[in-house]
Amino acid sequence: MVSSRKTTSADEEVAEVGKVVVEINETMNDAGARGFLRKGDVAQVCLRVICMAASVTALSFMVTAREASTVSIYGFQLPVNSKWSFADSYEYLVGVSAAVVAHSLLQLLINVSRLLRKSPLIPSRNHAWLTYAGDQVFAYAMMSAGSAASGVSNLNRTGIRHTALPDFCKPLHIFCDHVAISIACTFLSCLLLAMSAIQNVIWLSNN
């Protein structure tokens, strides 16, 4: 009888120890998951900051793209004046970039406020779908704006074949450099918006 009681007591102690170990493991797993989520939240905020910076750079360089110089056509020196507002595609890029700056700033403010409150950046599936849709729309808009502006820039840089129209980027190199940097930042913003959309897709697939 004494041996049987000791065995039962030992089994109960082992079971209690087992429960404690399981609880500790669950607590550690939960803490690890929360840490992973916080890292994902910080990555999302960093994406928003970089995207906004790229969009602001694209907007700034485009609206400051202007230059006056002279160009030789059939031996005549003619004055040329170039400005971003002379091309519809450049105006389109400025408008889209300004919209992306506003979108990124709004999302950044929302994300930072949630981080400070220690709340999840994506509180619900509806929020995730809404953010995903916004990022997708603006990513495609930035892609189209960059592509349209690239066509005009390529024409400015190569001139027109079988005509006397020269490479306008030689006398207007400052203008062309500003436009080139703006277009590069436009495509960078498009890539960052696409990455943000992918993060939302991953969250939706896991929740």
Side-chain angles (χ1 to χ4, degrees):
M1 291 294 292
V2 173
S3 177
S4 176
R5 288 178 181 176
K6 287 183 178 179
T7 302
T8 302
S9 178
D11 292 341
E12 290 176 352
E13 290 179 358
V14 171
E16 290 294 332
V17 171
K19 290 180 180 179
V20 171
V21 171
V22 170
E23 290 177 356
I24 292 174
N25 288 332
E26 290 178 351
T27 302
M28 293 178 65
N29 290 335
D30 291 341
R34 285 194 297 270
F36 175 76
L37 291 175
R38 301 307 291 181
K39 290 180 180 179
D41 292 347
V42 171
Q44 179 71 16
V45 171
C46 290
L47 272 180
R48 293 296 181 191
V49 171
I50 300 173
C51 181
M52 188 175 69
S55 302
V56 169
T57 303
L59 180 62
S60 301
F61 273 90
M62 184 57 75
V63 297
T64 57
R66 63 187 70 185
E67 188 177 4
S69 184
T70 58
V71 63
S72 177
I73 299 179
Y74 293 115
F76 296 98
Q77 295 295 323
L78 301 177
V80 290
N81 182 28
S82 190
K83 187 179 179 181
W84 67 272
S85 58
F86 293 166
D88 293 337
S89 59
Y90 293 163
E91 291 182 337
Y92 175 52
L93 188 147
V94 167
V96 173
S97 296
V100 171
V101 170
H103 170 73
S104 300
L105 178 60
L106 176 61
Q107 294 297 326
L108 179 61
L109 292 175
I110 293 174
N111 291 346
V112 170
S113 65
R114 290 185 180 278
L115 277 180
L116 293 177
R117 297 198 307 267
K118 297 182 179 180
S119 302
L121 295 190
I122 305 177
S124 64
R125 291 181 63 86
N126 289 336
H127 180 87
W129 278 114
L130 182 62
T131 306
Y132 167 77
D135 289 339
Q136 281 284 85
V137 168
F138 283 115
Y140 283 122
M142 290 294 271
M143 182 185 297
S144 66
S147 300
S150 297
V152 177
S153 299
N154 185 60
L155 182 62
N156 288 337
R157 195 171 294 277
T158 60
I160 300 177
R161 291 182 180 180
H162 310 301
T163 69
L165 291 179
D167 176 3
F168 287 105
C169 282
K170 287 183 179 178
L172 301 172
H173 61 279
I174 296 177
F175 170 81
C176 290
D177 290 343
H178 275 238
V179 171
I181 294 173
S182 177
I183 293 174
C185 291
T186 298
F187 284 117
L188 176 59
S189 297
C190 174
L191 176 62
L192 294 170
L193 287 167
M195 292 174 63
S196 179
I198 291 174
Q199 279 196 334
N200 284 295
V201 170
I202 294 174
W203 188 93
L204 286 168
S205 64
N206 293 330
N207 294 274

